[in-house]
Amino acid sequence: AVGRLKLMANILYVGPDAVGSTSRQRRNVLESLGHQVRNVSTSPPEGASSLVRRAYDITQFLHRQGRTKRVPGLVPDFQAQVLKAVRQDPYDILWVDKGILIARETLEEAKRIRPDLLVVGLVLDAMTMPHNQTRVFTQALPAYDVMITNKSFEVPFYEFRGVKRTYFMDNCYHMGTHRPMTLTAEEQRRFGADLSFVGEHEWQREISIYRLGEAGLNGLVIGAWQGCRQHENFRYSFERVWGDDYAKAICGSKIQLGFLRHINQDTQTTRSVEIPACGVFMLAERSDEHEALFAEGKEAAYFDSDEELVDKARYYLAHEDERAAIARAGHERCVRDGYSYRARLTRIMAQIDADFGRSFTSS
């Protein structure tokens, strides 16, 4: 059994720090577990101008081509920030969250400065897909001691590219964010719906939602869906919601749709766990990993086709008691089986202990 964490790991956490980002959630969880964590942010600061945000986009484009260049004066020198921090303090772990901007030379120099330093990476995107990766990221993989991925099919990729240990971690929810919430009347007007989907556009999702509308069902779509074919039975809100607003957007609907992201070949997404964690009924695309996370017909419902999606949406909207019981069971599964970041990162740290002979956990 994994024991209680104690104050041992001194972590330099490098990654995006935008409001509502899962990277910030993971960093906060590591802090709550008692670790000492210093952050180097690789995302634009809050309230950044469009010029600064554009400069970050250009920097990422350059890294995609394998060039560790940036827009001086607008984008910090992340490589220098990391090395300066490592020289100043005796870190145990250099934790790189989606390290598309951190070069191999930086990681290797950090290890030369601190020979006992462990370099741990974590990515929630499908990094074998060209639209997600950068050459700087793939070239740096041999410098990682650990890579944590939520894409089970990518474990062999990291092992082949030279990462010492690759851990598959199912998706997680953040206990302080993804939880059942009671909405005010105004919030219910904003987020209330029979069917709802919160997330980015994909053409497969566009067709499925249109089919629901054609079947006479009503709902709400939240996200960057400008320019798609819209059905009059659905409201389309082009906003982006974070934190409590994201949880409220989930809690406002009777049924939350759990579409997979096909461009990433996903078999589960962060939404797969966040919806049940909010105590809301999830109707999701069927996959082996979905069925392993939540029992079909007991803790969630699944579909293989638009026809099945329409049939099940109609059925569960008409059977409120059954829908509520499944939603409760899904939430209980999240808690009972430890699907939170807190539980999963506790297990990850214990695995690092076992694999590298460190003492970041104790019983």
Side-chain angles (χ1 to χ4, degrees), residues 74-178:
L74 295 177
V75 177
D77 186 339
F78 304 121
Q79 323 300 329
Q81 287 184 335
V82 169
L83 295 178
K84 180 180 179 181
V86 170
R87 290 188 182 97
Q88 288 177 337
D89 293 298
Y91 289 101
D92 303 303
I93 294 177
L94 172 55
W95 187 296
V96 185
D97 201 303
K98 194 175 182 181
I100 57 176
L101 300 177
I102 304 302
R104 177 175 180 170
E105 294 77 13
T106 300
L107 302 180
E108 290 177 341
E109 179 62 20
K111 287 184 173 184
R112 281 192 286 270
I113 296 168
R114 301 287 178 187
D116 292 332
L117 184 71
L118 286 178
V119 177
V120 176
L122 185 147
V123 282
L124 299 188
D125 287 321
M127 299 306 287
T128 54
M129 309 300 171
H131 62 276
N132 285 326
Q133 66 180 224
T134 66
R135 289 186 187 176
V136 168
F137 173 80
T138 55
Q139 290 166 356
L141 290 177
Y144 282 89
D145 298 295
V146 172
M147 184 61 69
I148 305 161
T149 174
N150 65 345
K151 312 299 181 193
S152 56
F153 56 87
E154 289 194 335
V155 170
F157 165 73
Y158 292 114
E159 293 175 343
F160 180 74
R161 285 300 186 102
V163 177
K164 294 184 180 65
R165 296 284 192 280
T166 302
Y167 304 152
F168 167 67
M169 181 180 75
D170 283 303
N171 282 286
C172 312
Y173 72 96
H174 183 250
M175 291 187 294
T177 303
H178 310 117

Side-chain angles (χ1 to χ4, degrees), residues 171-172 246 258-260 267-277 282 284-285 287 289-290 293-294 300 302 334 339:
N171 282 286
C172 312
Y246 174 73
F259 293 116
L260 296 172
T267 51
Q268 58 172 284
T269 71
T270 54
R271 194 179 298 102
S272 303
V273 176
E274 293 164 353
I275 293 170
M282 179 173 70
E285 290 186 67
S287 72
E289 290 183 15
H290 268 167
L293 287 167
F294 300 101
Y302 303 115
C334 288
Y339 291 176

Side-chain angles (χ1 to χ4, degrees), residues 243-310:
D244 281 356
D245 275 352
Y246 174 73
K248 290 172 183 176
I250 291 175
C251 293
S253 64
K254 297 174 183 177
I255 295 177
Q256 272 288 328
L257 302 173
F259 293 116
L260 296 172
R261 192 155 181 80
H262 292 271
I263 195 173
N264 286 339
Q265 301 181 2
D266 280 341
T267 51
Q268 58 172 284
T269 71
T270 54
R271 194 179 298 102
S272 303
V273 176
E274 293 164 353
I275 293 170
C278 287
V280 174
F281 179 91
M282 179 173 70
L283 178 54
E285 290 186 67
R286 185 178 285 105
S287 72
D288 290 344
E289 290 183 15
H290 268 167
E291 292 175 322
L293 287 167
F294 300 101
E296 182 167 12
K298 297 179 180 179
E299 298 163 338
Y302 303 115
F303 63 90
D304 278 319
S305 65
D306 288 343
E307 292 75 20
E308 188 176 9
L309 169 61
V310 169

